[in-house]
Amino acid sequence: MLCGMLGSLAAFYHDDLNLDDPEQRRMAAIRLLAKVPTIAAACYRHSIGWPGRYPRNNLNYVNRFLHMMFEVPSEPLELNPVAAKALDLLFILHADHEQNASTSTVRLVGSTGANPYACVAAGVAALWGPAHGGANEAVLKMLEEIGRPEDVASAIDRAKDKNSGFRLMGFGHRVYKNYDPRAAIIREMTHKVLAELGVNDPMLEVAMRLEEAALKDEYFVSRKLYPNVDFYSGLIYKALNIPTEMFTVMFAIARTAGWVAHWLEQQIDPEAKIGRPRQIYTGAAARDYVALDKR
Ligand SMILES: CC(C)(COP(=O)(O)OP(=O)(O)OC[C@H]1O[C@@H](n2cnc3c(N)ncnc32)[C@H](O)[C@@H]1OP(=O)(O)O)[C@@H](O)C(=O)NCCC(=O)NCCS
């Protein structure tokens, strides 16, 4: 829904967009930062049959988003400052992360001179598959599946067994081969949020035991498999009542800042060229034509 709506914004703001005008580029960037959380919250409310909520100008970015997500007509919404701080932190930590699949996609589409709304819609499309941005959802599923702290040891054994097909979700990173610095910050915030909101989540206990056991285990230590940012972020989202299906959307809201910054940077780069990845053909040098009825 978010991807489709963003694509349609390209039509909504079509006429007045001159990409050579810095003021218009700035305006497009601001619109994207403002519209993505509004559209995301509208998608959520639509999905559960609630009427949409307009953004409140007197609230800051995260509180406005929480308001659009959870406000109901029958009573005022109590906005918890710790919840807002945690969400702010998650948004900041996820804002940008060099050339991941979605950011590269935004830049590749942007390199053609495409409308910025279409570029960001393409970034959202790159998040569609489970391999990018879906890990925190997978972490929660895994923790639920493990279920009890006393079953952590057998989960560790299964993760080490190559034939089991089971990996510890939220552990390891293609780029960070040491502790993900973002994970240390989120770990602390996870504890604060759960203490403040009074969420007594057995999954947190499973998560803590799992982390402790893996950090001591030779298999994980020798392969430098440390908890990554996704290990904790799902627990915070869960405590904030963000439904699991929205986790990747939350990632898209945060990453919009990075995508937009990349897009803006690209527009003023005098050496920018259209993206053109090369390929090396490794197929057959020659293949004879065989008529259809002879195949
Ligand atoms: C993120 C990930 C894809 C990085 O992969 P990578 O850097 O290419 O690492 P590799 O897949 O080459 O794995 C290196 C070794 O560690 C093992 N390994 C890597 N991640 C593991 C995990 N989460 N659980 C168990 N074993 C793991 C591999 O089996 C491999 O073992 P081997 O050397 O004996 O063959 C990988 O660690 C993973 O699948 N993690 C779980 C999913 C996840 O959290 N993804 C979110 C990333 S933001």
Short mmCIF file of all heavy atoms in Angstrom, two decimals, residues 102-163:
data_model
loop_
_atom_site.label_atom_id
_atom_site.label_comp_id
_atom_site.label_asym_id
_atom_site.label_seq_id
_atom_site.Cartn_x
_atom_site.Cartn_y
_atom_site.Cartn_z
N SER A 102 17.93 -1.10 -0.93
CA SER A 102 16.91 -0.08 -1.23
C SER A 102 17.55 1.27 -1.58
O SER A 102 17.09 1.96 -2.49
CB SER A 102 15.93 0.07 -0.07
OG SER A 102 16.61 0.39 1.13
N THR A 103 18.63 1.63 -0.86
CA THR A 103 19.28 2.92 -1.14
C THR A 103 19.91 2.90 -2.53
O THR A 103 19.81 3.87 -3.29
CB THR A 103 20.32 3.23 -0.04
OG1 THR A 103 19.66 3.17 1.22
CG2 THR A 103 20.96 4.59 -0.22
N SER A 104 20.54 1.78 -2.88
CA SER A 104 21.11 1.67 -4.22
C SER A 104 20.01 1.77 -5.27
O SER A 104 20.20 2.36 -6.33
CB SER A 104 21.84 0.34 -4.41
OG SER A 104 22.85 0.23 -3.47
N THR A 105 18.85 1.19 -4.95
CA THR A 105 17.72 1.25 -5.88
C THR A 105 17.27 2.69 -6.08
O THR A 105 17.06 3.14 -7.22
CB THR A 105 16.54 0.40 -5.35
OG1 THR A 105 16.98 -0.92 -5.17
CG2 THR A 105 15.35 0.43 -6.29
N VAL A 106 17.14 3.43 -4.95
CA VAL A 106 16.72 4.83 -5.04
C VAL A 106 17.72 5.60 -5.91
O VAL A 106 17.34 6.38 -6.79
CB VAL A 106 16.59 5.46 -3.64
CG1 VAL A 106 16.41 6.97 -3.72
CG2 VAL A 106 15.44 4.83 -2.87
N ARG A 107 19.00 5.35 -5.70
CA ARG A 107 20.03 6.08 -6.47
C ARG A 107 20.01 5.67 -7.94
O ARG A 107 20.19 6.51 -8.83
CB ARG A 107 21.42 5.84 -5.88
CG ARG A 107 21.63 6.54 -4.56
CD ARG A 107 23.10 6.57 -4.21
NE ARG A 107 23.81 7.59 -4.95
CZ ARG A 107 24.33 8.71 -4.45
NH1 ARG A 107 24.26 8.94 -3.15
NH2 ARG A 107 24.95 9.58 -5.20
N LEU A 108 19.78 4.40 -8.20
CA LEU A 108 19.76 3.93 -9.59
C LEU A 108 18.58 4.56 -10.34
O LEU A 108 18.73 5.08 -11.45
CB LEU A 108 19.67 2.41 -9.61
CG LEU A 108 19.96 1.71 -10.92
CD1 LEU A 108 21.37 2.01 -11.42
CD2 LEU A 108 19.82 0.20 -10.76
N VAL A 109 17.42 4.53 -9.70
CA VAL A 109 16.23 5.14 -10.32
C VAL A 109 16.45 6.65 -10.42
O VAL A 109 16.17 7.27 -11.46
CB VAL A 109 14.95 4.78 -9.53
CG1 VAL A 109 13.73 5.46 -10.14
CG2 VAL A 109 14.73 3.28 -9.51
N GLY A 110 17.01 7.24 -9.33
CA GLY A 110 17.26 8.69 -9.32
C GLY A 110 18.23 9.12 -10.42
O GLY A 110 18.12 10.23 -10.95
N SER A 111 19.15 8.23 -10.77
CA SER A 111 20.16 8.59 -11.78
C SER A 111 19.55 8.81 -13.16
O SER A 111 20.17 9.38 -14.04
CB SER A 111 21.25 7.52 -11.84
OG SER A 111 20.80 6.39 -12.57
N THR A 112 18.32 8.36 -13.35
CA THR A 112 17.66 8.55 -14.65
C THR A 112 16.94 9.89 -14.72
O THR A 112 16.35 10.24 -15.75
CB THR A 112 16.61 7.44 -14.90
OG1 THR A 112 15.53 7.63 -13.96
CG2 THR A 112 17.18 6.05 -14.74
N GLY A 113 16.94 10.63 -13.59
CA GLY A 113 16.20 11.90 -13.56
C GLY A 113 14.74 11.70 -13.21
O GLY A 113 13.91 12.58 -13.43
N ALA A 114 14.43 10.52 -12.65
CA ALA A 114 13.02 10.23 -12.31
C ALA A 114 12.54 11.15 -11.18
O ALA A 114 13.33 11.67 -10.39
CB ALA A 114 12.89 8.77 -11.87
N ASN A 115 11.24 11.30 -11.12
CA ASN A 115 10.55 12.02 -10.07
C ASN A 115 10.92 11.43 -8.69
O ASN A 115 10.97 10.20 -8.54
CB ASN A 115 9.06 11.79 -10.37
CG ASN A 115 8.14 12.51 -9.49
OD1 ASN A 115 8.19 12.35 -8.28
ND2 ASN A 115 7.29 13.31 -10.09
N PRO A 116 11.22 12.26 -7.66
CA PRO A 116 11.66 11.71 -6.37
C PRO A 116 10.65 10.79 -5.69
O PRO A 116 11.03 9.89 -4.95
CB PRO A 116 11.90 12.96 -5.52
CG PRO A 116 11.20 14.07 -6.21
CD PRO A 116 11.19 13.73 -7.65
N TYR A 117 9.36 11.01 -5.97
CA TYR A 117 8.34 10.13 -5.35
C TYR A 117 8.46 8.72 -5.94
O TYR A 117 8.31 7.72 -5.24
CB TYR A 117 6.93 10.70 -5.57
CG TYR A 117 6.85 12.13 -5.09
CD1 TYR A 117 6.90 13.20 -5.99
CD2 TYR A 117 6.78 12.42 -3.72
CE1 TYR A 117 6.88 14.52 -5.55
CE2 TYR A 117 6.76 13.74 -3.28
CZ TYR A 117 6.80 14.77 -4.19
OH TYR A 117 6.79 16.07 -3.74
N ALA A 118 8.72 8.67 -7.24
CA ALA A 118 8.91 7.36 -7.90
C ALA A 118 10.19 6.70 -7.37
O ALA A 118 10.22 5.49 -7.16
CB ALA A 118 9.00 7.55 -9.42
N CYS A 119 11.24 7.52 -7.12
CA CYS A 119 12.50 6.96 -6.60
C CYS A 119 12.26 6.32 -5.24
O CYS A 119 12.73 5.21 -4.97
CB CYS A 119 13.57 8.04 -6.46
SG CYS A 119 14.03 8.82 -8.00
N VAL A 120 11.54 7.03 -4.36
CA VAL A 120 11.31 6.50 -3.01
C VAL A 120 10.34 5.31 -3.06
O VAL A 120 10.50 4.33 -2.31
CB VAL A 120 10.84 7.63 -2.06
CG1 VAL A 120 10.40 7.08 -0.70
CG2 VAL A 120 11.98 8.63 -1.84
N ALA A 121 9.37 5.35 -3.97
CA ALA A 121 8.48 4.18 -4.14
C ALA A 121 9.32 2.96 -4.54
O ALA A 121 9.08 1.84 -4.06
CB ALA A 121 7.41 4.47 -5.20
N ALA A 122 10.34 3.18 -5.39
CA ALA A 122 11.22 2.07 -5.80
C ALA A 122 12.01 1.56 -4.59
O ALA A 122 12.21 0.34 -4.45
CB ALA A 122 12.17 2.53 -6.90
N GLY A 123 12.44 2.49 -3.71
CA GLY A 123 13.14 2.08 -2.48
C GLY A 123 12.23 1.21 -1.62
O GLY A 123 12.65 0.18 -1.09
N VAL A 124 10.97 1.60 -1.51
CA VAL A 124 10.01 0.80 -0.73
C VAL A 124 9.83 -0.58 -1.37
O VAL A 124 9.79 -1.60 -0.69
CB VAL A 124 8.64 1.53 -0.61
CG1 VAL A 124 7.59 0.66 0.06
CG2 VAL A 124 8.80 2.84 0.17
N ALA A 125 9.78 -0.60 -2.71
CA ALA A 125 9.63 -1.89 -3.41
C ALA A 125 10.80 -2.82 -3.10
O ALA A 125 10.63 -4.03 -2.97
CB ALA A 125 9.50 -1.66 -4.92
N ALA A 126 12.00 -2.22 -2.95
CA ALA A 126 13.18 -3.04 -2.65
C ALA A 126 13.08 -3.66 -1.25
O ALA A 126 13.77 -4.62 -0.94
CB ALA A 126 14.45 -2.20 -2.77
N LEU A 127 12.22 -3.09 -0.41
CA LEU A 127 12.02 -3.65 0.94
C LEU A 127 10.97 -4.75 0.96
O LEU A 127 10.69 -5.35 2.00
CB LEU A 127 11.59 -2.55 1.91
CG LEU A 127 12.63 -1.54 2.35
CD1 LEU A 127 11.99 -0.48 3.23
CD2 LEU A 127 13.74 -2.23 3.12
N TRP A 128 10.36 -4.98 -0.18
CA TRP A 128 9.22 -5.91 -0.23
C TRP A 128 9.65 -7.34 0.14
O TRP A 128 8.98 -8.04 0.90
CB TRP A 128 8.65 -5.91 -1.66
CG TRP A 128 7.20 -6.17 -1.75
CD1 TRP A 128 6.51 -7.22 -1.19
CD2 TRP A 128 6.23 -5.37 -2.44
NE1 TRP A 128 5.18 -7.12 -1.51
CE2 TRP A 128 4.98 -6.00 -2.28
CE3 TRP A 128 6.29 -4.21 -3.20
CZ2 TRP A 128 3.81 -5.51 -2.84
CZ3 TRP A 128 5.13 -3.72 -3.76
CH2 TRP A 128 3.90 -4.36 -3.58
N GLY A 129 10.79 -7.75 -0.39
CA GLY A 129 11.24 -9.12 -0.12
C GLY A 129 11.76 -9.27 1.30
O GLY A 129 12.18 -8.29 1.92
N PRO A 130 11.74 -10.49 1.83
CA PRO A 130 12.12 -10.68 3.23
C PRO A 130 13.61 -10.50 3.50
O PRO A 130 14.02 -10.36 4.65
CB PRO A 130 11.71 -12.14 3.51
CG PRO A 130 11.66 -12.79 2.17
CD PRO A 130 11.31 -11.73 1.18
N ALA A 131 14.45 -10.48 2.44
CA ALA A 131 15.90 -10.42 2.67
C ALA A 131 16.37 -9.04 3.13
O ALA A 131 17.47 -8.89 3.64
CB ALA A 131 16.65 -10.82 1.40
N HIS A 132 15.57 -8.01 2.93
CA HIS A 132 15.99 -6.65 3.30
C HIS A 132 14.90 -6.04 4.17
O HIS A 132 13.76 -5.90 3.74
CB HIS A 132 16.20 -5.85 2.01
CG HIS A 132 16.69 -4.44 2.21
ND1 HIS A 132 17.45 -4.04 3.27
CD2 HIS A 132 16.54 -3.34 1.43
CE1 HIS A 132 17.73 -2.76 3.15
NE2 HIS A 132 17.19 -2.30 2.04
N GLY A 133 15.27 -5.69 5.41
CA GLY A 133 14.33 -5.00 6.30
C GLY A 133 13.36 -5.91 7.01
O GLY A 133 12.59 -5.45 7.84
N GLY A 134 13.39 -7.21 6.72
CA GLY A 134 12.40 -8.10 7.34
C GLY A 134 12.94 -8.90 8.51
O GLY A 134 12.25 -9.73 9.09
N ALA A 135 14.20 -8.61 8.88
CA ALA A 135 14.85 -9.48 9.88
C ALA A 135 14.23 -9.36 11.27
O ALA A 135 14.14 -10.35 11.99
CB ALA A 135 16.34 -9.20 9.93
N ASN A 136 13.78 -8.14 11.65
CA ASN A 136 13.23 -8.02 13.02
C ASN A 136 11.93 -8.81 13.16
O ASN A 136 11.62 -9.35 14.22
CB ASN A 136 13.08 -6.55 13.46
CG ASN A 136 12.31 -5.70 12.49
OD1 ASN A 136 11.76 -6.20 11.52
ND2 ASN A 136 12.28 -4.41 12.74
N GLU A 137 11.18 -8.90 12.07
CA GLU A 137 9.96 -9.71 12.07
C GLU A 137 10.34 -11.19 12.26
O GLU A 137 9.72 -11.91 13.04
CB GLU A 137 9.27 -9.50 10.71
CG GLU A 137 7.86 -9.94 10.67
CD GLU A 137 7.21 -9.56 9.33
OE1 GLU A 137 7.61 -8.57 8.69
OE2 GLU A 137 6.31 -10.30 8.92
N ALA A 138 11.42 -11.58 11.55
CA ALA A 138 11.89 -12.97 11.66
C ALA A 138 12.40 -13.26 13.07
O ALA A 138 12.23 -14.37 13.57
CB ALA A 138 12.99 -13.21 10.63
N VAL A 139 12.98 -12.24 13.73
CA VAL A 139 13.48 -12.42 15.10
C VAL A 139 12.30 -12.73 16.03
O VAL A 139 12.33 -13.67 16.82
CB VAL A 139 14.24 -11.15 15.59
CG1 VAL A 139 14.52 -11.23 17.09
CG2 VAL A 139 15.53 -10.97 14.82
N LEU A 140 11.23 -11.94 15.90
CA LEU A 140 10.07 -12.17 16.77
C LEU A 140 9.46 -13.55 16.55
O LEU A 140 9.10 -14.24 17.50
CB LEU A 140 8.99 -11.11 16.52
CG LEU A 140 9.12 -9.77 17.24
CD1 LEU A 140 7.78 -9.09 17.32
CD2 LEU A 140 9.68 -9.91 18.65
N LYS A 141 9.38 -13.94 15.28
CA LYS A 141 8.83 -15.28 14.97
C LYS A 141 9.70 -16.34 15.62
O LYS A 141 9.21 -17.31 16.19
CB LYS A 141 8.80 -15.50 13.45
CG LYS A 141 7.63 -14.80 12.81
CD LYS A 141 7.28 -15.44 11.45
CE LYS A 141 6.21 -14.61 10.77
NZ LYS A 141 6.69 -13.87 9.61
N MET A 142 11.04 -16.15 15.52
CA MET A 142 11.96 -17.13 16.10
C MET A 142 11.80 -17.18 17.63
O MET A 142 11.75 -18.26 18.21
CB MET A 142 13.40 -16.76 15.73
CG MET A 142 14.44 -17.63 16.40
SD MET A 142 16.11 -16.96 16.20
CE MET A 142 16.06 -15.55 17.31
N LEU A 143 11.72 -16.00 18.26
CA LEU A 143 11.61 -15.97 19.73
C LEU A 143 10.30 -16.64 20.17
O LEU A 143 10.26 -17.37 21.16
CB LEU A 143 11.68 -14.53 20.26
CG LEU A 143 13.02 -13.81 20.05
CD1 LEU A 143 12.91 -12.35 20.50
CD2 LEU A 143 14.15 -14.49 20.80
N GLU A 144 9.24 -16.41 19.39
CA GLU A 144 7.96 -17.04 19.71
C GLU A 144 8.06 -18.55 19.57
O GLU A 144 7.54 -19.31 20.38
CB GLU A 144 6.87 -16.53 18.75
CG GLU A 144 5.99 -15.50 19.39
CD GLU A 144 5.24 -14.68 18.35
OE1 GLU A 144 4.93 -15.21 17.25
OE2 GLU A 144 4.98 -13.50 18.61
N GLU A 145 8.77 -18.95 18.51
CA GLU A 145 8.93 -20.38 18.25
C GLU A 145 9.76 -21.04 19.36
O GLU A 145 9.44 -22.13 19.81
CB GLU A 145 9.62 -20.52 16.90
CG GLU A 145 9.61 -21.91 16.31
CD GLU A 145 10.63 -21.97 15.17
OE1 GLU A 145 10.53 -21.15 14.23
OE2 GLU A 145 11.53 -22.83 15.25
N ILE A 146 10.82 -20.34 19.81
CA ILE A 146 11.63 -20.89 20.91
C ILE A 146 10.77 -20.95 22.18
O ILE A 146 10.76 -21.94 22.90
CB ILE A 146 12.92 -20.07 21.15
CG1 ILE A 146 13.81 -20.14 19.90
CG2 ILE A 146 13.68 -20.57 22.37
CD1 ILE A 146 15.04 -19.24 19.95
N GLY A 147 10.03 -19.87 22.41
CA GLY A 147 8.98 -19.88 23.43
C GLY A 147 9.40 -19.70 24.87
O GLY A 147 8.93 -18.79 25.53
N ARG A 148 10.31 -20.56 25.38
CA ARG A 148 10.64 -20.51 26.81
C ARG A 148 12.15 -20.37 26.99
O ARG A 148 12.92 -20.98 26.22
CB ARG A 148 10.18 -21.79 27.50
CG ARG A 148 8.70 -22.06 27.35
CD ARG A 148 8.32 -23.39 27.97
NE ARG A 148 9.22 -24.46 27.53
CZ ARG A 148 9.34 -25.63 28.16
NH1 ARG A 148 8.66 -25.88 29.25
NH2 ARG A 148 10.17 -26.56 27.70
N PRO A 149 12.59 -19.65 28.03
CA PRO A 149 14.04 -19.49 28.26
C PRO A 149 14.77 -20.84 28.35
O PRO A 149 15.89 -20.97 27.88
CB PRO A 149 14.11 -18.73 29.58
CG PRO A 149 12.80 -18.05 29.72
CD PRO A 149 11.79 -18.87 29.00
N GLU A 150 14.10 -21.85 28.91
CA GLU A 150 14.79 -23.14 29.06
C GLU A 150 15.00 -23.86 27.72
O GLU A 150 15.73 -24.85 27.66
CB GLU A 150 14.09 -24.06 30.09
CG GLU A 150 12.60 -24.24 29.95
CD GLU A 150 11.79 -23.16 30.68
OE1 GLU A 150 12.18 -21.97 30.64
OE2 GLU A 150 10.75 -23.49 31.25
N ASP A 151 14.37 -23.37 26.65
CA ASP A 151 14.57 -24.00 25.34
C ASP A 151 15.65 -23.30 24.50
O ASP A 151 15.85 -23.64 23.33
CB ASP A 151 13.24 -24.01 24.55
CG ASP A 151 12.25 -24.97 25.20
OD1 ASP A 151 12.71 -26.00 25.74
OD2 ASP A 151 11.05 -24.66 25.21
N VAL A 152 16.31 -22.30 25.11
CA VAL A 152 17.33 -21.54 24.37
C VAL A 152 18.51 -22.44 23.97
O VAL A 152 18.99 -22.37 22.84
CB VAL A 152 17.80 -20.32 25.21
CG1 VAL A 152 19.11 -19.75 24.70
CG2 VAL A 152 16.71 -19.24 25.19
N ALA A 153 18.95 -23.30 24.90
CA ALA A 153 20.12 -24.15 24.62
C ALA A 153 19.89 -25.02 23.40
O ALA A 153 20.78 -25.13 22.53
CB ALA A 153 20.43 -25.01 25.85
N SER A 154 18.70 -25.62 23.29
CA SER A 154 18.47 -26.49 22.13
C SER A 154 18.37 -25.65 20.84
O SER A 154 18.75 -26.12 19.77
CB SER A 154 17.23 -27.36 22.33
OG SER A 154 16.09 -26.54 22.37
N ALA A 155 17.90 -24.40 20.96
CA ALA A 155 17.85 -23.53 19.77
C ALA A 155 19.27 -23.21 19.30
O ALA A 155 19.56 -23.20 18.10
CB ALA A 155 17.11 -22.24 20.09
N ILE A 156 20.18 -22.99 20.26
CA ILE A 156 21.59 -22.72 19.92
C ILE A 156 22.17 -23.94 19.20
O ILE A 156 22.85 -23.80 18.17
CB ILE A 156 22.41 -22.41 21.21
CG1 ILE A 156 21.92 -21.12 21.86
CG2 ILE A 156 23.91 -22.43 20.95
CD1 ILE A 156 22.62 -19.87 21.42
N ASP A 157 21.87 -25.11 19.71
CA ASP A 157 22.38 -26.34 19.07
C ASP A 157 21.87 -26.46 17.64
O ASP A 157 22.60 -26.81 16.73
CB ASP A 157 21.96 -27.59 19.87
CG ASP A 157 22.75 -27.68 21.17
OD1 ASP A 157 23.79 -27.01 21.28
OD2 ASP A 157 22.30 -28.41 22.09
N ARG A 158 20.58 -26.16 17.47
CA ARG A 158 20.00 -26.25 16.12
C ARG A 158 20.65 -25.25 15.17
O ARG A 158 20.90 -25.53 14.01
CB ARG A 158 18.49 -25.98 16.18
CG ARG A 158 17.68 -27.26 16.36
CD ARG A 158 16.24 -27.04 15.98
NE ARG A 158 15.63 -26.00 16.80
CZ ARG A 158 14.72 -25.12 16.35
NH1 ARG A 158 14.32 -25.18 15.11
NH2 ARG A 158 14.21 -24.21 17.16
N ALA A 159 20.93 -24.03 15.69
CA ALA A 159 21.54 -22.99 14.85
C ALA A 159 22.95 -23.40 14.40
O ALA A 159 23.40 -23.00 13.33
CB ALA A 159 21.59 -21.66 15.60
N LYS A 160 23.62 -24.20 15.23
CA LYS A 160 24.99 -24.62 14.89
C LYS A 160 24.99 -25.81 13.93
O LYS A 160 25.99 -26.08 13.27
CB LYS A 160 25.75 -24.99 16.16
CG LYS A 160 25.98 -23.78 17.07
CD LYS A 160 26.99 -24.03 18.15
CE LYS A 160 26.57 -25.02 19.19
NZ LYS A 160 27.48 -25.12 20.32
N ASP A 161 23.86 -26.51 13.87
CA ASP A 161 23.77 -27.70 13.03
C ASP A 161 23.40 -27.27 11.60
O ASP A 161 22.28 -26.83 11.33
CB ASP A 161 22.68 -28.62 13.63
CG ASP A 161 22.42 -29.82 12.75
OD1 ASP A 161 23.14 -29.99 11.74
OD2 ASP A 161 21.49 -30.60 13.07
N LYS A 162 24.35 -27.43 10.69
CA LYS A 162 24.16 -26.96 9.31
C LYS A 162 22.99 -27.68 8.61
O LYS A 162 22.41 -27.16 7.67
CB LYS A 162 25.42 -27.19 8.48
CG LYS A 162 26.61 -26.38 8.95
CD LYS A 162 26.60 -25.00 8.26
CE LYS A 162 27.85 -24.22 8.52
NZ LYS A 162 28.01 -23.68 9.86
N ASN A 163 22.66 -28.89 9.10
CA ASN A 163 21.59 -29.65 8.44
C ASN A 163 20.21 -29.23 8.92
O ASN A 163 19.20 -29.63 8.34
CB ASN A 163 21.77 -31.16 8.70
CG ASN A 163 23.07 -31.65 8.13
OD1 ASN A 163 23.47 -31.21 7.05
ND2 ASN A 163 23.76 -32.53 8.86
#
